[in-house]
Amino acid sequence: MTNSWISDDAKGLTTQLSNYVEPVDSFDVHEEALKFGFTPEPPSQFPLTWFSSQYRIDLSQQQLVLYPNKAVLKGLTVSVWLNIALFLAGLTITLKSNLRFRSKNNTAGLKAEHVGHKSIPPSAQELILPVSTGQQVNMFAMFKWRCELPKHIEPQSHFSVTLAKCFNKYRYCSAKYLSSGALAVTLSSLSKDEVEQTVKRLHEVVYQALLAFRGDLSRSAVKCGACFYSEGADQTQVYQIARSSLSVAQNHVWQHIHMLPLNRTLAESLLDAETNVIDDIKAGRFVLFFQPLFDFKTQDVIQSEALLRVRHKTLGLITAGQFIHKIHRSEHLIELDKSIVQQALKVLSKEPKGFTVSVNLHVVNWSNSEFLSWLIAFLRASGRAKDVTLELMICDYYQHRSYFEQFFDALSPLGASIVLDHVNGPLDVVPLQKVHNIVGVKLAFELIHDIQSSAKRRAVVKQIVNQAKKLQVPVYAVGVETQDELNCIKRLGVDGAQGYYFSAPLLELENSLN
């Protein structure tokens, strides 16, 4: 740090000492050096040694080695120590603030860690408040939207700041952007009378925050599921209710917000959801609805997808999306899919040949040899295997391709076919060319919804259509809701579609196919 100073002032000292052409007394030389802020003695104390670059001067036949004097270095040292002290003080204040913030969140946090085992993911642990009193309740809401965030946007900061400004009257307002792409929001100490208006305002604020960088975004693209709850509520149940509510909103055409309270009846029902639902299925307290698939070329229904509805004793008729995440035991998943397949074949047996039904199997059962052996034997015995199509998510096929190809080969002699579902990106054409019983691909709902306003998604669909032509398989769209969506996918070359634009799920198979 003193090199520049030495270089400048040493020039004056060199000029002055050059007058001594004869040997002089060392005391006189040192006295001249001190006038220019130098000393012949090197500093020995820390941290003076850090800043004491030596400077050599040739004097007649002698060489003089000088250092900055102690007065100069002392002032520099004081300055350095002062800056270090200020830095440490600032660091201490920052750490204390962070610890207080974390302590507050941890007190309100959740103790569970994995959704798959009736618990909540770590990313949601700091969100749900456990306590409210009297007529005050807390609200936990989850948001999903069908658009991509710009790369320069940091979602956590963007939504935290926006919500903090708009909901600063509440004792606690927290926003957490989850790794799944969902936004989780917690508000505390709401009056029960203001819950409905608050969740509507919350939806509007999130929509406006997204609209800031997506000017073409519609409100229907932003879905919200919420739960409000009182003192002593089980936080795992709060999370699961909000998640189920979000699923309901996502699968509804016009409803963008779905909210449920965690009351005693619902809490008790969810507590034993796995046991109760499986008991209902074993007792036959369920029905199958059928969603028709419409072919553009033939102008006719070519297939119907079986959708499960369970008659719950306290919750009424519930969809699979509301309880499937509560079922974790493999034997229960096998029981669930066996019941669906058996009921679908029972309904199909009453119809003439040519009626085709598609069935979604849980991914766990696709990898269960016991279940697959049963499935092959049951399809063979039914005599209607050719009228059954099994749907498989394409991401699962890619992940376990060699395994599924062997299973597809086992299905080929029966005539059962495969549809790859939830396609949201270009196809891997080469391996798919080896599979001969794939009869179609279904585009994901998020790819189709409001597609007319997204050039990027239109390009993806066009690419998938061109790849499917090479494979000689049709492409179908799922979740078509509007005339604009229908016109757009037709122009892109999609072969057929299903969704509320054509028909809601119907109770009778015959109605869905006619």
Side-chain angles (χ1 to χ4, degrees):
M1 296 177 65
T2 60
N3 286 343
S4 176
W5 175 81
I6 293 175
S7 298
D8 294 337
D9 286 19
K11 292 178 181 178
L13 178 61
T14 301
T15 302
Q16 184 70 24
L17 294 179
S18 65
N19 296 324
Y20 293 96
V21 296
E22 297 179 0
V24 295
D25 187 270
S26 60
F27 176 78
D28 295 332
V29 175
H30 295 166
E31 189 176 36
E32 288 295 331
L34 289 173
K35 293 179 182 179
F36 286 87
F38 290 92
T39 177
E41 301 175 1
S44 58
Q45 296 180 350
F46 175 83
L48 299 181
T49 53
W50 285 5
F51 313 107
S52 56
S53 301
Q54 63 183 12
Y55 192 84
R56 298 178 182 277
I57 298 177
D58 293 327
L59 183 62
S60 184
Q61 302 299 320
Q62 303 178 25
Q63 188 178 62
L64 189 63
V65 180
L66 300 176
Y67 302 87
N69 67 27
K70 293 183 179 181
V72 173
L73 287 176
K74 185 176 181 180
L76 184 60
T77 302
V78 171
S79 175
V80 170
W81 280 119
L82 180 61
N83 279 278
I84 292 174
L86 291 173
F87 171 77
L88 293 176
L91 182 62
T92 301
I93 293 173
T94 302
L95 290 175
K96 287 184 177 180
S97 299
N98 288 339
L99 288 174
R100 283 197 299 267
F101 178 77
R102 291 181 181 179
S103 176
K104 181 180 178 181
N105 281 346
N106 288 337
T107 302
L110 303 172
K111 298 181 180 179
E113 295 182 354
H114 301 288
V115 173
H117 294 85
K118 297 186 177 181
S119 54
I120 304 174
S123 53
Q125 288 186 12
E126 299 178 354
L127 299 175
I128 305 176
L129 294 176
V131 180
S132 59
T133 58
Q135 294 299 311
Q136 300 292 308
V137 296
N138 296 331
M139 178 188 294
F140 180 67
M142 298 186 72
F143 291 84
K144 288 278 284 187
W145 47 83
R146 290 185 289 271
C147 70
E148 294 183 2
L149 300 178
K151 294 183 178 179
H152 68 277
I153 293 293
E154 205 290 302
Q156 180 63 54
S157 301
H158 181 72
F159 290 108
S160 294
V161 172
T162 301
L163 292 170
K165 290 180 179 179
C166 297
F167 296 93
N168 54 12
K169 75 171 187 176
Y170 298 104
R171 180 173 61 86
Y172 183 86
C173 176
S174 169
K176 180 72 173 179
Y177 186 74
L178 307 179
S179 58
S180 62
L183 177 69
V185 180
T186 300
L187 294 176
S188 70
S189 301
L190 286 77
S191 168
K192 290 182 178 179
D193 298 332
E194 65 175 330
V195 167
E196 185 174 352
Q197 290 302 319
T198 301
V199 73
K200 290 180 179 179
R201 183 175 174 231
L202 192 60
H203 180 272
E204 181 65 20
V205 169
V206 173
Y207 166 68
Q208 292 294 337
L210 291 166
L211 193 65
F213 47 79
R214 280 298 302 268
D216 60 340
L217 190 68
S218 65
R219 283 180 174 81
S220 62
V222 182
K223 300 292 186 178
C224 171
C227 173
F228 62 92
Y229 54 100
S230 301
E231 181 179 359
D234 183 281
Q235 303 305 294
T236 301
Q237 293 178 5
V238 171
Y239 178 84
Q240 290 170 341
I241 291 174
R243 189 165 172 243
S244 297
S245 298
L246 177 61
S247 178
V248 172
Q250 286 179 300
N251 290 303
H252 201 282
V253 183
W254 305 115
Q255 181 182 357
H256 312 319
I257 303 170
H258 190 78
M259 181 171 60
L260 289 172
L262 179 58
N263 53 38
R264 183 174 179 179
T265 301
L266 185 58
E268 291 175 349
S269 299
L270 288 173
L271 190 62
D272 300 316
E274 180 165 12
T275 302
N276 292 340
V277 167
I278 295 302
D279 288 344
D280 288 335
I281 289 176
K282 288 180 178 179
R285 292 189 290 269
F286 70 93
V287 293
L288 290 184
F289 281 68
F290 295 91
Q291 178 82 59
L293 176 64
F294 188 77
D295 183 76
F296 298 150
K297 185 177 181 179
T298 63
Q299 296 292 301
D300 198 3
V301 175
I302 57 174
Q303 189 182 93
S304 287
E305 181 178 351
L307 303 174
L308 178 68
R309 300 289 187 269
V310 175
R311 300 185 186 278
H312 196 277
K313 59 182 178 181
T314 56
L315 302 179
L317 199 64
I318 58 176
T319 67
Q322 292 176 283
F323 65 80
I324 194 67
H325 62 279
K326 296 285 293 182
I327 299 180
H328 312 293
R329 296 171 59 181
S330 59
E331 60 268 28
H332 287 170
L333 292 171
I334 290 176
E335 183 70 32
L336 176 66
D337 276 357
K338 279 186 177 181
S339 299
I340 295 174
V341 172
Q342 289 171 338
Q343 182 65 17
L345 266 295
K346 181 179 179 180
V347 173
L348 194 60
S349 66
K350 299 177 182 179
E351 306 297 337
K353 290 187 177 181
F355 282 40
T356 303
V357 173
S358 65
V359 178
N360 286 281
L361 300 180
H362 196 282
V363 63
V364 172
N365 290 333
W366 276 104
S367 58
N368 188 302
S369 58
E370 174 191 344
F371 174 80
L372 296 179
S373 297
W374 171 88
L375 179 63
I376 292 174
F378 188 79
L379 289 176
R380 182 181 292 111
S382 71
R384 298 295 297 268
K386 293 183 178 180
D387 297 327
V388 175
T389 298
L390 302 177
E391 297 196 10
L392 171 68
M393 291 183 64
I394 195 167
C395 59
D396 294 325
Y397 166 74
Y398 285 147
Q399 187 173 1
H400 308 285
R401 188 166 58 200
S402 59
Y403 168 80
F404 282 118
E405 287 174 355
Q406 293 177 8
F407 179 61
F408 294 164
D409 289 340
L411 288 175
S412 291
L414 302 176
S417 54
I418 305 295
V419 167
L420 296 178
D421 191 18
H422 206 77
V423 177
N424 55 12
L427 302 173
D428 192 355
V429 176
V430 175
L432 289 174
Q433 288 175 331
K434 302 176 183 178
V435 184
H436 303 295
N437 49 348
I438 293 179
V439 296
V441 295
K442 284 188 175 182
L443 302 175
F445 174 77
E446 57 266 25
L447 196 61
I448 296 302
H449 184 77
D450 205 23
I451 188 174
Q452 71 278 0
S453 62
S454 174
K456 182 177 180 180
R457 283 186 280 137
R458 291 197 299 272
V460 172
V461 171
K462 186 65 176 177
Q463 185 177 1
I464 294 172
V465 169
N466 292 334
Q467 291 174 323
K469 288 180 179 179
K470 296 179 181 179
L471 297 170
Q472 298 182 340
V473 297
V475 177
Y476 303 119
V478 172
V480 176
E481 300 173 349
T482 66
Q483 182 69 50
D484 289 338
E485 291 174 351
L486 176 62
N487 294 338
C488 183
I489 62 175
K490 280 186 173 181
R491 289 194 300 268
L492 294 172
V494 174
D495 298 285
Q498 66 185 64
Y500 279 84
Y501 178 81
F502 303 101
S503 172
L506 301 171
L507 182 59
E508 298 294 335
L509 175 61
E510 184 176 357
N511 291 337
S512 72
L513 290 170
N514 291 301

